Amino acid sequence: GWCPLSPTGAQTTKLLVEPPWRPAVLWDRVTLTCQGSGTAGATTWYKDGQRWGQEERIRLAVTQSGTYTCDRPGKGFSPSMRVLDGEGAFLVLQVPALALLEGDMVTLRCRG
């Protein structure tokens, strides 16, 4: 693998999912947390590329499927997080929502 160098001002906003499984599915009562170190102020949320709202809270209880991102003041946009509705899905294979390296032991969830 490779590790890119991070220039000054690089993206430091993270989007965490609870419960910590990907893909996230609405039947899990998904909560997203926008994490951007060292900044105060409102979080701007986006759903499917459109502004979804601005809140003081960094946590968002997801009630609709879509692709979510967030923006923290001075720290930029997070990577996106897709949330599935789960309707009509026969099976969903989920992996832990954390960085995995080759050779790591991992638990998978197959749900339907």
Side-chain angles (χ1 to χ4, degrees):
W2 58 280
C3 182
L5 297 175
S6 295
T8 303
Q11 182 181 82
T12 58
T13 303
K14 296 178 183 176
L15 192 53
L16 308 178
V17 61
E18 186 63 37
W21 295 94
R22 290 188 187 199
V25 184
L26 286 180
W27 64 50
D28 282 334
R29 296 183 182 169
V30 174
T31 300
L32 300 178
T33 301
C34 188
Q35 196 175 67
S37 61
T39 57
T43 298
T44 304
W45 292 94
Y46 295 84
K47 178 181 175 287
D48 299 326
Q50 302 294 317
R51 188 182 172 115
W52 186 245
Q54 189 172 31
E55 304 180 18
E56 291 299 321
R57 293 173 289 140
I58 61 171
R59 293 172 59 88
L60 177 70
V62 178
T63 59
Q64 296 181 18
S65 61
T67 301
Y68 291 83
T69 56
C70 67
D71 180 29
R72 297 284 291 149
K75 294 298 178 183
F77 287 88
S78 70
S80 62
M81 173 73 64
R82 186 168 178 214
V83 180
L84 305 177
D85 64 13
E87 292 298 320
F90 294 101
L91 290 173
V92 175
L93 181 64
Q94 293 178 301
V95 299
L98 49 85
L100 297 173
L101 299 174
E102 185 177 345
D104 286 350
M105 294 293 291
V106 62
T107 299
L108 304 178
R109 291 201 318 183
C110 185
R111 304 180 63 210

